[in-house]
Amino acid sequence: WLFVVPALGYMALFFGYPLVRIILMSFQEYTPATYFTGEAPFNGLDNWRAVFSDQLFTDALWHTALFTAGSLLGQFTIGLALAVFF
């Protein structure tokens, strides 16, 4: 356990904290003034509703899915062809 505790502490500090902070920030309203005043009022699910109702988001999600599927298909095809060749 003495070897695992530092690794868990590192992961909690450098992965856990930013993840929790970003999730909390997604429920707040950030404006350019926020960076000067430090005030970001809580606005609930308004940010999430705005993102999911935006047509650009659905287009970007579709393009990302196509790019990911195409990349994986190409990588598997090239990898399999090289494996069979060698």
Side-chain angles (χ1 to χ4, degrees):
W1 283 106
L2 290 176
F3 291 114
V4 175
V5 169
L8 291 176
Y10 174 83
M11 290 177 60
L13 182 66
F14 290 104
F15 294 106
Y17 173 73
L19 181 65
V20 170
R21 185 69 187 130
I22 287 173
I23 290 171
L24 291 176
M25 287 174 68
S26 74
F27 295 105
Q28 295 174 327
E29 181 180 357
Y30 275 81
T31 61
T34 302
Y35 298 104
F36 298 108
T37 62
E39 297 175 1
F42 181 78
N43 68 350
L45 294 173
D46 290 342
N47 292 339
W48 291 91
R49 280 189 207 102
V51 167
F52 286 121
S53 65
D54 190 4
Q55 180 62 31
L56 185 63
F57 174 75
T58 55
D59 291 343
L61 191 63
W62 176 245
H63 292 154
T64 301
L66 283 176
F67 177 78
T68 302
S71 296
L72 288 174
L73 182 66
Q75 289 175 17
F76 283 138
T77 302
I78 292 170
L80 181 63
L82 287 173
V84 169
F85 176 72
F86 288 118

PDB file of all heavy atoms in Angstrom, residues 22-49:
ATOM      1  N   ILE A  22     -14.139  21.122 -13.614  1.00  0.00           N
ATOM      2  CA  ILE A  22     -14.763  21.354 -14.920  1.00  0.00           C
ATOM      3  C   ILE A  22     -16.258  21.025 -14.862  1.00  0.00           C
ATOM      4  O   ILE A  22     -17.078  21.732 -15.448  1.00  0.00           O
ATOM      5  CB  ILE A  22     -14.051  20.542 -16.016  1.00  0.00           C
ATOM      6  CG1 ILE A  22     -12.703  21.173 -16.314  1.00  0.00           C
ATOM      7  CG2 ILE A  22     -14.888  20.443 -17.268  1.00  0.00           C
ATOM      8  CD1 ILE A  22     -11.841  20.384 -17.250  1.00  0.00           C
ATOM      9  N   ILE A  23     -16.610  19.964 -14.160  1.00  0.00           N
ATOM     10  CA  ILE A  23     -18.029  19.616 -14.030  1.00  0.00           C
ATOM     11  C   ILE A  23     -18.775  20.722 -13.296  1.00  0.00           C
ATOM     12  O   ILE A  23     -19.876  21.127 -13.698  1.00  0.00           O
ATOM     13  CB  ILE A  23     -18.185  18.255 -13.333  1.00  0.00           C
ATOM     14  CG1 ILE A  23     -17.700  17.144 -14.265  1.00  0.00           C
ATOM     15  CG2 ILE A  23     -19.637  18.010 -12.928  1.00  0.00           C
ATOM     16  CD1 ILE A  23     -17.604  15.788 -13.623  1.00  0.00           C
ATOM     17  N   LEU A  24     -18.180  21.250 -12.225  1.00  0.00           N
ATOM     18  CA  LEU A  24     -18.819  22.353 -11.506  1.00  0.00           C
ATOM     19  C   LEU A  24     -18.904  23.613 -12.370  1.00  0.00           C
ATOM     20  O   LEU A  24     -19.906  24.331 -12.330  1.00  0.00           O
ATOM     21  CB  LEU A  24     -18.050  22.659 -10.220  1.00  0.00           C
ATOM     22  CG  LEU A  24     -18.128  21.591  -9.128  1.00  0.00           C
ATOM     23  CD1 LEU A  24     -17.245  21.968  -7.952  1.00  0.00           C
ATOM     24  CD2 LEU A  24     -19.560  21.387  -8.687  1.00  0.00           C
ATOM     25  N   MET A  25     -17.881  23.887 -13.161  1.00  0.00           N
ATOM     26  CA  MET A  25     -17.890  25.066 -14.028  1.00  0.00           C
ATOM     27  C   MET A  25     -18.961  24.966 -15.110  1.00  0.00           C
ATOM     28  O   MET A  25     -19.458  25.987 -15.588  1.00  0.00           O
ATOM     29  CB  MET A  25     -16.523  25.262 -14.680  1.00  0.00           C
ATOM     30  CG  MET A  25     -15.467  25.773 -13.728  1.00  0.00           C
ATOM     31  SD  MET A  25     -13.831  25.820 -14.479  1.00  0.00           S
ATOM     32  CE  MET A  25     -14.050  27.108 -15.692  1.00  0.00           C
ATOM     33  N   SER A  26     -19.318  23.741 -15.495  1.00  0.00           N
ATOM     34  CA  SER A  26     -20.333  23.592 -16.543  1.00  0.00           C
ATOM     35  C   SER A  26     -21.707  24.030 -16.075  1.00  0.00           C
ATOM     36  O   SER A  26     -22.598  24.233 -16.894  1.00  0.00           O
ATOM     37  CB  SER A  26     -20.374  22.150 -17.034  1.00  0.00           C
ATOM     38  OG  SER A  26     -20.987  21.306 -16.087  1.00  0.00           O
ATOM     39  N   PHE A  27     -21.900  24.185 -14.776  1.00  0.00           N
ATOM     40  CA  PHE A  27     -23.176  24.639 -14.233  1.00  0.00           C
ATOM     41  C   PHE A  27     -23.153  26.111 -13.840  1.00  0.00           C
ATOM     42  O   PHE A  27     -24.066  26.588 -13.191  1.00  0.00           O
ATOM     43  CB  PHE A  27     -23.562  23.798 -13.014  1.00  0.00           C
ATOM     44  CG  PHE A  27     -23.828  22.362 -13.351  1.00  0.00           C
ATOM     45  CD1 PHE A  27     -22.912  21.390 -13.023  1.00  0.00           C
ATOM     46  CD2 PHE A  27     -24.980  21.989 -14.017  1.00  0.00           C
ATOM     47  CE1 PHE A  27     -23.141  20.066 -13.331  1.00  0.00           C
ATOM     48  CE2 PHE A  27     -25.223  20.668 -14.329  1.00  0.00           C
ATOM     49  CZ  PHE A  27     -24.296  19.702 -13.988  1.00  0.00           C
ATOM     50  N   GLN A  28     -22.111  26.841 -14.241  1.00  0.00           N
ATOM     51  CA  GLN A  28     -22.001  28.257 -13.922  1.00  0.00           C
ATOM     52  C   GLN A  28     -21.948  29.077 -15.199  1.00  0.00           C
ATOM     53  O   GLN A  28     -21.582  28.582 -16.261  1.00  0.00           O
ATOM     54  CB  GLN A  28     -20.736  28.530 -13.095  1.00  0.00           C
ATOM     55  CG  GLN A  28     -20.765  27.883 -11.734  1.00  0.00           C
ATOM     56  CD  GLN A  28     -19.454  28.057 -11.003  1.00  0.00           C
ATOM     57  OE1 GLN A  28     -18.395  28.097 -11.615  1.00  0.00           O
ATOM     58  NE2 GLN A  28     -19.531  28.173  -9.690  1.00  0.00           N
ATOM     59  N   GLU A  29     -22.309  30.348 -15.082  1.00  0.00           N
ATOM     60  CA  GLU A  29     -22.286  31.251 -16.229  1.00  0.00           C
ATOM     61  C   GLU A  29     -20.984  32.049 -16.206  1.00  0.00           C
ATOM     62  O   GLU A  29     -20.747  32.854 -15.311  1.00  0.00           O
ATOM     63  CB  GLU A  29     -23.471  32.207 -16.182  1.00  0.00           C
ATOM     64  CG  GLU A  29     -23.513  33.143 -17.357  1.00  0.00           C
ATOM     65  CD  GLU A  29     -24.700  34.077 -17.292  1.00  0.00           C
ATOM     66  OE1 GLU A  29     -25.518  33.954 -16.371  1.00  0.00           O
ATOM     67  OE2 GLU A  29     -24.780  34.940 -18.166  1.00  0.00           O
ATOM     68  N   TYR A  30     -20.149  31.790 -17.193  1.00  0.00           N
ATOM     69  CA  TYR A  30     -18.864  32.490 -17.295  1.00  0.00           C
ATOM     70  C   TYR A  30     -18.934  33.526 -18.402  1.00  0.00           C
ATOM     71  O   TYR A  30     -19.366  33.233 -19.516  1.00  0.00           O
ATOM     72  CB  TYR A  30     -17.730  31.502 -17.586  1.00  0.00           C
ATOM     73  CG  TYR A  30     -17.188  30.860 -16.341  1.00  0.00           C
ATOM     74  CD1 TYR A  30     -17.826  29.788 -15.757  1.00  0.00           C
ATOM     75  CD2 TYR A  30     -16.054  31.357 -15.732  1.00  0.00           C
ATOM     76  CE1 TYR A  30     -17.348  29.211 -14.601  1.00  0.00           C
ATOM     77  CE2 TYR A  30     -15.561  30.789 -14.577  1.00  0.00           C
ATOM     78  CZ  TYR A  30     -16.210  29.727 -14.019  1.00  0.00           C
ATOM     79  OH  TYR A  30     -15.728  29.175 -12.869  1.00  0.00           O
ATOM     80  N   THR A  31     -18.518  34.732 -18.085  1.00  0.00           N
ATOM     81  CA  THR A  31     -18.433  35.826 -19.050  1.00  0.00           C
ATOM     82  C   THR A  31     -17.011  36.377 -18.972  1.00  0.00           C
ATOM     83  O   THR A  31     -16.252  36.021 -18.068  1.00  0.00           O
ATOM     84  CB  THR A  31     -19.435  36.940 -18.693  1.00  0.00           C
ATOM     85  OG1 THR A  31     -19.114  37.461 -17.403  1.00  0.00           O
ATOM     86  CG2 THR A  31     -20.872  36.424 -18.696  1.00  0.00           C
ATOM     87  N   PRO A  32     -16.619  37.240 -19.900  1.00  0.00           N
ATOM     88  CA  PRO A  32     -15.280  37.839 -19.789  1.00  0.00           C
ATOM     89  C   PRO A  32     -15.080  38.592 -18.468  1.00  0.00           C
ATOM     90  O   PRO A  32     -13.968  38.639 -17.946  1.00  0.00           O
ATOM     91  CB  PRO A  32     -15.224  38.789 -20.982  1.00  0.00           C
ATOM     92  CG  PRO A  32     -16.132  38.172 -21.989  1.00  0.00           C
ATOM     93  CD  PRO A  32     -17.244  37.565 -21.191  1.00  0.00           C
ATOM     94  N   ALA A  33     -16.147  39.140 -17.916  1.00  0.00           N
ATOM     95  CA  ALA A  33     -16.026  39.850 -16.636  1.00  0.00           C
ATOM     96  C   ALA A  33     -15.719  38.894 -15.490  1.00  0.00           C
ATOM     97  O   ALA A  33     -15.163  39.306 -14.468  1.00  0.00           O
ATOM     98  CB  ALA A  33     -17.302  40.615 -16.346  1.00  0.00           C
ATOM     99  N   THR A  34     -16.068  37.631 -15.651  1.00  0.00           N
ATOM    100  CA  THR A  34     -15.827  36.648 -14.602  1.00  0.00           C
ATOM    101  C   THR A  34     -14.344  36.545 -14.268  1.00  0.00           C
ATOM    102  O   THR A  34     -13.975  36.355 -13.111  1.00  0.00           O
ATOM    103  CB  THR A  34     -16.354  35.272 -15.036  1.00  0.00           C
ATOM    104  OG1 THR A  34     -17.741  35.387 -15.318  1.00  0.00           O
ATOM    105  CG2 THR A  34     -16.143  34.230 -13.966  1.00  0.00           C
ATOM    106  N   TYR A  35     -13.498  36.693 -15.265  1.00  0.00           N
ATOM    107  CA  TYR A  35     -12.059  36.545 -15.037  1.00  0.00           C
ATOM    108  C   TYR A  35     -11.480  37.714 -14.255  1.00  0.00           C
ATOM    109  O   TYR A  35     -10.408  37.599 -13.665  1.00  0.00           O
ATOM    110  CB  TYR A  35     -11.340  36.355 -16.366  1.00  0.00           C
ATOM    111  CG  TYR A  35     -11.810  35.102 -17.070  1.00  0.00           C
ATOM    112  CD1 TYR A  35     -12.672  35.166 -18.156  1.00  0.00           C
ATOM    113  CD2 TYR A  35     -11.436  33.856 -16.606  1.00  0.00           C
ATOM    114  CE1 TYR A  35     -13.124  34.019 -18.772  1.00  0.00           C
ATOM    115  CE2 TYR A  35     -11.889  32.699 -17.212  1.00  0.00           C
ATOM    116  CZ  TYR A  35     -12.718  32.791 -18.291  1.00  0.00           C
ATOM    117  OH  TYR A  35     -13.168  31.654 -18.890  1.00  0.00           O
ATOM    118  N   PHE A  36     -12.182  38.835 -14.231  1.00  0.00           N
ATOM    119  CA  PHE A  36     -11.724  39.989 -13.452  1.00  0.00           C
ATOM    120  C   PHE A  36     -12.371  40.036 -12.072  1.00  0.00           C
ATOM    121  O   PHE A  36     -11.724  40.399 -11.097  1.00  0.00           O
ATOM    122  CB  PHE A  36     -12.012  41.295 -14.208  1.00  0.00           C
ATOM    123  CG  PHE A  36     -11.283  41.388 -15.513  1.00  0.00           C
ATOM    124  CD1 PHE A  36     -11.960  41.274 -16.709  1.00  0.00           C
ATOM    125  CD2 PHE A  36      -9.907  41.577 -15.533  1.00  0.00           C
ATOM    126  CE1 PHE A  36     -11.283  41.343 -17.915  1.00  0.00           C
ATOM    127  CE2 PHE A  36      -9.228  41.655 -16.727  1.00  0.00           C
ATOM    128  CZ  PHE A  36      -9.912  41.537 -17.920  1.00  0.00           C
ATOM    129  N   THR A  37     -13.653  39.679 -12.009  1.00  0.00           N
ATOM    130  CA  THR A  37     -14.369  39.763 -10.738  1.00  0.00           C
ATOM    131  C   THR A  37     -14.326  38.464  -9.943  1.00  0.00           C
ATOM    132  O   THR A  37     -14.439  38.478  -8.730  1.00  0.00           O
ATOM    133  CB  THR A  37     -15.841  40.139 -10.967  1.00  0.00           C
ATOM    134  OG1 THR A  37     -16.467  39.110 -11.739  1.00  0.00           O
ATOM    135  CG2 THR A  37     -15.960  41.470 -11.674  1.00  0.00           C
ATOM    136  N   GLY A  38     -14.204  37.341 -10.635  1.00  0.00           N
ATOM    137  CA  GLY A  38     -14.225  36.045  -9.965  1.00  0.00           C
ATOM    138  C   GLY A  38     -15.617  35.545  -9.657  1.00  0.00           C
ATOM    139  O   GLY A  38     -15.776  34.509  -9.024  1.00  0.00           O
ATOM    140  N   GLU A  39     -16.635  36.256 -10.099  1.00  0.00           N
ATOM    141  CA  GLU A  39     -18.017  35.870  -9.838  1.00  0.00           C
ATOM    142  C   GLU A  39     -18.602  35.122 -11.036  1.00  0.00           C
ATOM    143  O   GLU A  39     -18.604  35.639 -12.149  1.00  0.00           O
ATOM    144  CB  GLU A  39     -18.875  37.096  -9.552  1.00  0.00           C
ATOM    145  CG  GLU A  39     -18.457  37.854  -8.318  1.00  0.00           C
ATOM    146  CD  GLU A  39     -19.256  39.130  -8.128  1.00  0.00           C
ATOM    147  OE1 GLU A  39     -20.138  39.396  -8.961  1.00  0.00           O
ATOM    148  OE2 GLU A  39     -18.975  39.842  -7.163  1.00  0.00           O
ATOM    149  N   ALA A  40     -19.034  33.914 -10.785  1.00  0.00           N
ATOM    150  CA  ALA A  40     -19.672  33.108 -11.826  1.00  0.00           C
ATOM    151  C   ALA A  40     -20.955  32.535 -11.236  1.00  0.00           C
ATOM    152  O   ALA A  40     -20.927  31.532 -10.533  1.00  0.00           O
ATOM    153  CB  ALA A  40     -18.750  31.990 -12.281  1.00  0.00           C
ATOM    154  N   PRO A  41     -22.094  33.178 -11.511  1.00  0.00           N
ATOM    155  CA  PRO A  41     -23.348  32.720 -10.898  1.00  0.00           C
ATOM    156  C   PRO A  41     -23.761  31.342 -11.416  1.00  0.00           C
ATOM    157  O   PRO A  41     -23.489  30.968 -12.552  1.00  0.00           O
ATOM    158  CB  PRO A  41     -24.361  33.785 -11.311  1.00  0.00           C
ATOM    159  CG  PRO A  41     -23.774  34.444 -12.494  1.00  0.00           C
ATOM    160  CD  PRO A  41     -22.294  34.331 -12.366  1.00  0.00           C
ATOM    161  N   PHE A  42     -24.418  30.604 -10.543  1.00  0.00           N
ATOM    162  CA  PHE A  42     -24.937  29.279 -10.876  1.00  0.00           C
ATOM    163  C   PHE A  42     -26.147  29.442 -11.788  1.00  0.00           C
ATOM    164  O   PHE A  42     -27.052  30.205 -11.504  1.00  0.00           O
ATOM    165  CB  PHE A  42     -25.336  28.563  -9.584  1.00  0.00           C
ATOM    166  CG  PHE A  42     -25.861  27.184  -9.800  1.00  0.00           C
ATOM    167  CD1 PHE A  42     -25.002  26.130 -10.058  1.00  0.00           C
ATOM    168  CD2 PHE A  42     -27.218  26.921  -9.751  1.00  0.00           C
ATOM    169  CE1 PHE A  42     -25.482  24.854 -10.259  1.00  0.00           C
ATOM    170  CE2 PHE A  42     -27.709  25.651  -9.943  1.00  0.00           C
ATOM    171  CZ  PHE A  42     -26.832  24.610 -10.199  1.00  0.00           C
ATOM    172  N   ASN A  43     -26.139  28.718 -12.919  1.00  0.00           N
ATOM    173  CA  ASN A  43     -27.287  28.815 -13.821  1.00  0.00           C
ATOM    174  C   ASN A  43     -27.896  27.451 -14.140  1.00  0.00           C
ATOM    175  O   ASN A  43     -28.658  27.312 -15.084  1.00  0.00           O
ATOM    176  CB  ASN A  43     -26.924  29.564 -15.109  1.00  0.00           C
ATOM    177  CG  ASN A  43     -25.957  28.814 -15.985  1.00  0.00           C
ATOM    178  OD1 ASN A  43     -25.392  27.811 -15.562  1.00  0.00           O
ATOM    179  ND2 ASN A  43     -25.762  29.284 -17.185  1.00  0.00           N
ATOM    180  N   GLY A  44     -27.578  26.459 -13.357  1.00  0.00           N
ATOM    181  CA  GLY A  44     -28.217  25.150 -13.514  1.00  0.00           C
ATOM    182  C   GLY A  44     -27.861  24.471 -14.826  1.00  0.00           C
ATOM    183  O   GLY A  44     -26.707  24.452 -15.241  1.00  0.00           O
ATOM    184  N   LEU A  45     -28.868  23.960 -15.488  1.00  0.00           N
ATOM    185  CA  LEU A  45     -28.656  23.201 -16.721  1.00  0.00           C
ATOM    186  C   LEU A  45     -28.773  24.052 -17.987  1.00  0.00           C
ATOM    187  O   LEU A  45     -28.852  23.504 -19.087  1.00  0.00           O
ATOM    188  CB  LEU A  45     -29.661  22.054 -16.790  1.00  0.00           C
ATOM    189  CG  LEU A  45     -29.493  20.962 -15.722  1.00  0.00           C
ATOM    190  CD1 LEU A  45     -30.645  19.981 -15.801  1.00  0.00           C
ATOM    191  CD2 LEU A  45     -28.178  20.258 -15.889  1.00  0.00           C
ATOM    192  N   ASP A  46     -28.759  25.374 -17.857  1.00  0.00           N
ATOM    193  CA  ASP A  46     -28.908  26.237 -19.032  1.00  0.00           C
ATOM    194  C   ASP A  46     -27.775  26.034 -20.040  1.00  0.00           C
ATOM    195  O   ASP A  46     -28.012  26.038 -21.256  1.00  0.00           O
ATOM    196  CB  ASP A  46     -28.967  27.711 -18.619  1.00  0.00           C
ATOM    197  CG  ASP A  46     -30.256  28.051 -17.905  1.00  0.00           C
ATOM    198  OD1 ASP A  46     -31.223  27.269 -18.023  1.00  0.00           O
ATOM    199  OD2 ASP A  46     -30.294  29.088 -17.226  1.00  0.00           O
ATOM    200  N   ASN A  47     -26.556  25.864 -19.567  1.00  0.00           N
ATOM    201  CA  ASN A  47     -25.430  25.643 -20.480  1.00  0.00           C
ATOM    202  C   ASN A  47     -25.609  24.337 -21.252  1.00  0.00           C
ATOM    203  O   ASN A  47     -25.351  24.278 -22.462  1.00  0.00           O
ATOM    204  CB  ASN A  47     -24.109  25.597 -19.708  1.00  0.00           C
ATOM    205  CG  ASN A  47     -23.737  26.922 -19.113  1.00  0.00           C
ATOM    206  OD1 ASN A  47     -24.217  27.968 -19.544  1.00  0.00           O
ATOM    207  ND2 ASN A  47     -22.882  26.898 -18.109  1.00  0.00           N
ATOM    208  N   TRP A  48     -26.039  23.287 -20.550  1.00  0.00           N
ATOM    209  CA  TRP A  48     -26.231  21.995 -21.198  1.00  0.00           C
ATOM    210  C   TRP A  48     -27.373  22.053 -22.213  1.00  0.00           C
ATOM    211  O   TRP A  48     -27.266  21.472 -23.300  1.00  0.00           O
ATOM    212  CB  TRP A  48     -26.505  20.919 -20.151  1.00  0.00           C
ATOM    213  CG  TRP A  48     -25.299  20.628 -19.320  1.00  0.00           C
ATOM    214  CD1 TRP A  48     -24.946  21.215 -18.149  1.00  0.00           C
ATOM    215  CD2 TRP A  48     -24.269  19.694 -19.624  1.00  0.00           C
ATOM    216  NE1 TRP A  48     -23.762  20.698 -17.704  1.00  0.00           N
ATOM    217  CE2 TRP A  48     -23.322  19.762 -18.583  1.00  0.00           C
ATOM    218  CE3 TRP A  48     -24.049  18.798 -20.662  1.00  0.00           C
ATOM    219  CZ2 TRP A  48     -22.188  18.970 -18.556  1.00  0.00           C
ATOM    220  CZ3 TRP A  48     -22.915  18.007 -20.631  1.00  0.00           C
ATOM    221  CH2 TRP A  48     -22.005  18.099 -19.597  1.00  0.00           C
ATOM    222  N   ARG A  49     -28.462  22.751 -21.865  1.00  0.00           N
ATOM    223  CA  ARG A  49     -29.576  22.887 -22.803  1.00  0.00           C
ATOM    224  C   ARG A  49     -29.140  23.640 -24.060  1.00  0.00           C
ATOM    225  O   ARG A  49     -29.528  23.279 -25.173  1.00  0.00           O
ATOM    226  CB  ARG A  49     -30.733  23.632 -22.140  1.00  0.00           C
ATOM    227  CG  ARG A  49     -31.563  22.774 -21.244  1.00  0.00           C
ATOM    228  CD  ARG A  49     -32.826  23.494 -20.793  1.00  0.00           C
ATOM    229  NE  ARG A  49     -33.241  22.957 -19.509  1.00  0.00           N
ATOM    230  CZ  ARG A  49     -33.046  23.540 -18.336  1.00  0.00           C
ATOM    231  NH1 ARG A  49     -32.481  24.738 -18.264  1.00  0.00           N
ATOM    232  NH2 ARG A  49     -33.435  22.963 -17.223  1.00  0.00           N
TER     233      ARG A  49
END
